[in-house]
Amino acid sequence: MKRAAALFLVLLTLSLIPVNTVKADVFPNEILKFPSTGTPAIAKPGETVTIQAADGVDITRLSIISILNGPYDLNILRKEGGTVIAEIPKEAVPGSYFLQVESSKGSIVIPNGVWVLNEYPKVLRIWHVSDTHVTSGSKVGYVNGEKFCRSLSKCGEGAIPLTSYFATDSAFTYGAMSDEVDVIINTGDDVDTAGDLKGYNLYLNAVENAVATGKPAIIIKGNHDDPPTYYSKLVGLTDFNLTIGKFLIIGLDSHGDQAHPNMDQLEWMESVLEAHPDKIPIVLVHHPFWYKTPEGRSGRIEGYSATDDWDTIAPWVSWYWIGGPDRTSEDIAKRFLEDVEKYNIKLVLSGHVHADYVQVYKDKNGNEHWFVTNTATGAPDKREENNWYGSRIVEIDENGNVRLPYIKDMFGTIFGPLSSLPVPQEFLVFRKTGEDGSGALFINKYKEISGKFVLVAPEGAKVDESATDVEYRLLGERTIGDKHYMLFNVTVPLGEHQIVVTKAPDTTKPTVEIAYTYPSKPKVGKPFQVYLQASDNVGIKEVQVEIVTASGVKKYTGIPTKGDPNGNYFYVKVDGVDTPDYTIRAVAVDFNGNRAMAEKVITQSSSTTSTVSPSTASTTSQSGTCGPAAIVALALIPLLMRRKK
């Protein structure tokens, strides 16, 4: 009865909370099958692209636009059923473009829809990210320099809580800024839960921040994107092939628990390879093919043939591909490796295992085939030893030679336990947007970088010179779809820095409120949690909880309770207070240094909550349904969790 009453109260409370639902009037795949945000059409000026409409949809107009260039109308040369052949204008400037589509079923805008190149690359430079696991929920890991931890207590003083969204946005941002990168490739598990529509929209926000700079992206599906209901609606095809001059990229769906492609997919892949005999093949597949090498997790496998030496090779193949100890999909694994040899597939990029693998398979003909698996870029649930939030540069030239820059400089070998670069581990970006402006905080412990950077901001916002301490140049701004983009060239040196844009000088102080503690009456010396609400008209830069005792002050960094970068709810884990009398102080700071504080006094007999309003800090009381109802809902979470356990 108590459980039913608690559930009823939660439902009643949640019904009072205004919810911003995430719902598209028309999903992109309801109008176009190809291209999409994850699989762009690729061409040079004057060349044609093939557009594939959804069944029963008539495409009436196509155009491309970026922050600096366009719009350019694409000349529709012919239509054959749902296939549209369109020409890229000769005057189109190279870069990644938003594709604007008008059709019989409505209009859509697809970020990263068309990638225009002036010349096809002789060396393709890939920024490889994987397992971003963006979620609308509250998963978090912790970073402290090179140290990655799954719990705050292990990471030491100065550790930074990092949600999957901020980790993903940071990695995509670095790839977009780097002049050593041509294209960003994500090898799956884009979100943490396939049915998390808000998670997909958050993930696409991070993708858009990168591709709006002009840097394209190619994305494949992982098992956490399975079943691909929202993936197909929002991101793109689950199996595809793209040509970039000399390079042929093939994306394969390795499905969910199946963990490998099926035979039909391999036959399709073979038909694509047969049709492009002069290309350098690159395969993207989420689940890695190899489990180990004779040298260990990473290393070389040399002098074998999949046809002649399979019994020797098979024990090194991952259970994902071979089908576990019973080898239920051995025919799939063997056929794929035979294809690797037959068609000289030079590079296979994967993820899934949340750890770095590099395996070089050298067949009996002397051809090298690189299998590169990246650790999780965004997921906090990975092993802590010899691991971090990582990304990497992978280079492949038109002769099929593969290179991993910087790895030997850092570790001395590409076959060590770490072979990715510490991004976002040591390069973090925290973008925030409010009704009056936007800000971005950079925490850079890796190396100085200069490049293009995008802020989504209210139209009319200007750089706030008093709050900005990075070298910048505004290149241009434009509203595309429902967002206003500002494109900068920024230089981010080592240390903490920020760039802020506002519609007017920001003197508005944030608001902060302590919602509750759990347990409600913390015991002396026992851990407890503090939940609070904070908001700002430009964006909250920092939230802290201070535990004030007679012997001093101990500070804890606020952690978002949700994946939304602009969320208003935070919590901290306090590791215990060795006195019955103390004060909990919540502090919120915006990008302009405006501060707000709220306090809760804890004593042996009672606790009281108050608002602190000195000249340097203030808070505003919450009104309406949203604040109180949401706080009540938060207060009920521990009860439900306890009942669930």
Side-chain angles (χ1 to χ4, degrees):
M1 189 68 183
K2 290 181 179 179
R3 187 177 185 179
L7 180 59
F8 173 76
L9 183 57
V10 170
L11 294 174
L12 177 63
T13 304
L14 293 178
S15 70
L16 299 175
I17 301 174
V19 176
N20 295 320
T21 57
V22 183
K23 182 180 182 299
D25 293 332
V26 179
F27 285 108
N29 80 323
E30 295 179 285
I31 291 178
L32 280 192
K33 293 181 180 178
F34 177 83
S36 64
T37 299
T39 48
I42 303 168
K44 295 195 296 187
E47 294 183 341
T48 61
V49 292
T50 299
I51 310 293
Q52 186 63 48
D55 295 341
V57 175
D58 179 38
I59 304 300
T60 57
R61 186 182 179 188
L62 297 166
S63 61
I64 55 176
I65 189 171
S66 70
I67 298 174
L68 298 180
N69 300 298
Y72 303 109
D73 281 331
L74 305 190
N75 183 22
I76 297 177
L77 301 178
R78 64 182 183 276
K79 299 179 182 179
E80 301 171 358
T83 302
V84 177
I85 307 300
E87 183 182 40
I88 303 295
K90 293 180 179 179
E91 66 272 20
V93 176
S96 175
Y97 283 86
F98 292 72
L99 176 63
Q100 301 179 128
V101 184
E102 296 180 17
S103 77
S104 58
K105 197 171 182 176
S107 300
I108 54 172
V109 177
I110 299 178
N112 192 49
V114 176
W115 179 15
V116 177
L117 296 104
N118 192 37
E119 296 292 339
Y120 291 120
K122 295 184 181 297
V123 178
L124 186 63
R125 303 172 302 169
I126 298 166
W127 183 242
H128 182 197
V129 304
S130 193
D131 294 81
T132 47
H133 285 268
V134 174
T135 174
S136 62
S138 58
K139 278 190 173 182
V140 65
Y142 303 89
V143 298
N144 195 346
E146 292 186 359
K147 191 173 185 180
F148 160 74
C149 309
R150 296 175 68 169
S151 64
L152 182 60
S153 60
K154 295 181 179 180
C155 240
E157 187 176 350
I160 301 169
L162 190 58
T163 64
S164 58
Y165 173 81
F166 285 122
T168 300
D169 189 42
S170 300
F172 270 86
T173 295
Y174 190 93
M177 291 182 68
S178 175
D179 59 6
E180 298 178 282
V181 170
D182 298 316
V183 60
I184 302 167
I185 290 180
N186 187 355
T187 48
D189 280 359
D190 310 320
V191 301
D192 198 53
T193 306
D196 186 0
L197 179 55
K198 290 184 179 180
Y200 272 110
N201 279 278
L202 289 173
Y203 172 70
L204 291 175
N205 283 345
V207 175
E208 289 169 23
N209 287 337
V211 300
T213 69
K215 190 70 59 76
I218 298 171
I219 300 165
I220 67 167
K221 167 184 166 294
N223 57 293
H224 278 254
D225 303 299
D226 195 78
T229 307
Y230 288 129
Y231 181 93
S232 297
K233 291 179 185 298
L234 293 166
V235 182
L237 300 172
T238 57
D239 295 280
F240 60 85
N241 65 281
L242 304 170
T243 57
I244 309 172
K246 184 73 173 178
F247 304 97
L248 170 66
I249 294 182
I250 298 175
L252 291 176
D253 182 4
S254 52
H255 308 286
D257 292 338
Q258 178 177 304
H260 56 263
N262 55 42
M263 193 62 77
D264 288 343
Q265 290 172 277
L266 296 188
E267 291 174 353
W268 167 80
M269 180 185 75
E270 291 161 2
S271 69
V272 171
L273 291 164
E274 293 281 359
H276 298 84
D278 59 334
K279 304 297 184 185
I280 300 296
I282 302 168
V283 172
L284 315 178
V285 60
H286 180 64
H287 290 85
F289 183 80
W290 299 105
Y291 169 65
K292 63 179 181 179
T293 75
E295 302 173 8
R297 186 172 81 182
S298 296
R300 293 182 175 273
I301 303 171
E302 298 190 69
Y304 295 99
S305 161
T307 302
D308 300 334
D309 305 303
W310 179 251
D311 288 341
T312 302
I313 292 170
W316 302 324
V317 176
S318 72
W319 280 10
Y320 305 120
W321 278 79
I322 209 167
D326 297 328
R327 298 189 180 183
T328 55
S329 54
E330 186 170 11
D331 57 335
I332 299 284
K334 186 171 183 288
R335 177 78 164 264
F336 180 75
L337 192 58
E338 288 173 342
D339 287 342
V340 167
E341 295 179 14
K342 178 179 178 180
Y343 298 103
N344 203 11
I345 295 172
K346 288 297 188 180
L347 177 62
V348 180
L349 297 180
S350 301
H352 184 69
V353 291
H354 295 195
D356 289 332
Y357 290 5
V358 178
Q359 294 115 348
V360 180
Y361 176 66
K362 188 173 184 180
D363 63 33
K364 282 187 174 179
N365 295 321
N367 295 315
E368 283 192 348
H369 316 276
W370 285 63
F371 293 76
V372 179
T373 300
N374 201 72
T375 189
T377 301
D381 46 354
K382 46 183 169 275
R383 58 174 170 261
E384 294 173 305
E385 185 179 357
N386 289 321
N387 214 343
W388 55 23
Y389 291 87
S391 306
R392 69 170 89 237
I393 296 174
V394 182
E395 294 182 351
I396 180 169
D397 67 25
E398 57 185 354
N399 296 314
N401 299 309
V402 176
R403 178 173 172 262
L404 304 181
Y406 302 115
I407 303 303
K408 287 187 177 181
D409 294 341
M410 295 179 66
F411 309 113
T413 174
I414 60 172
F415 298 126
L418 284 170
S419 59
S420 60
L421 306 179
V423 178
Q425 180 80 23
E426 297 182 0
F427 178 84
L428 306 176
V429 182
F430 296 92
R431 283 181 174 89
K432 302 291 183 71
T433 301
E435 60 183 12
D436 294 329
S438 299
L441 170 66
F442 301 93
I443 301 177
N444 184 9
K445 298 181 180 181
Y446 182 41
K447 61 181 180 180
E448 181 176 299
I449 184 171
S450 297
K452 292 180 180 177
F453 177 80
V454 157
L455 274 178
V456 175
E459 193 167 357
K462 305 295 181 185
V463 175
D464 185 336
E465 299 287 354
S466 65
T468 297
D469 65 351
V470 296
E471 181 182 330
Y472 77 90
R473 182 162 60 95
L474 178 63
L475 302 177
E477 56 186 297
R478 175 173 272 173
T479 299
I480 303 175
D482 60 353
K483 294 182 180 180
H484 185 74
Y485 297 92
M486 301 181 71
L487 177 63
F488 298 89
N489 195 94
V490 300
T491 297
V492 182
L494 293 173
E496 292 192 19
H497 303 278
Q498 64 182 37
I499 182 170
V500 183
V501 299
T502 56
K503 292 193 291 186
D506 180 25
T507 58
T508 303
K509 302 181 191 304
T511 65
V512 67
E513 180 178 355
I514 298 173
Y516 68 98
T517 62
Y518 178 73
S520 59
K521 295 181 179 179
K523 295 182 179 180
V524 175
K526 298 294 184 181
F528 64 94
Q529 296 182 3
V530 181
Y531 289 83
L532 57 145
Q533 182 183 20
S535 60
D536 186 70
N537 62 316
V538 172
I540 293 291
K541 175 182 174 181
E542 181 182 14
V543 172
Q544 283 190 340
V545 165
E546 300 175 351
I547 303 298
V548 184
T549 66
S551 59
V553 178
K554 190 168 184 179
K555 298 181 180 181
Y556 299 85
T557 300
I559 302 167
T561 62
K562 296 293 183 182
D564 183 354
N566 297 307
N568 295 332
Y569 294 96
F570 304 83
Y571 73 98
V572 301
K573 298 178 180 180
V574 179
D575 50 11
V577 183
D578 294 328
T579 176
D581 301 320
Y582 54 93
T583 298
I584 301 172
R585 179 185 297 153
V587 181
V589 183
D590 67 14
F591 284 95
N592 287 77
N594 302 307
R595 298 167 60 86
M597 289 191 292
E599 290 185 349
K600 182 171 185 154
V601 178
I602 306 294
T603 65
Q604 280 183 311
S605 57
S606 64
S607 64
T608 59
T609 304
S610 65
T611 295
V612 182
S613 302
S615 59
T616 58
S618 72
T619 186
T620 305
S621 61
Q622 302 297 305
S623 61
T625 304
C626 180
I631 290 172
V632 173
L634 282 171
L636 288 168
I637 290 173
L639 172 62
L640 291 181
M641 291 300 293
R642 184 166 66 249
R643 299 295 294 183
K644 183 177 180 182
K645 289 179 181 178

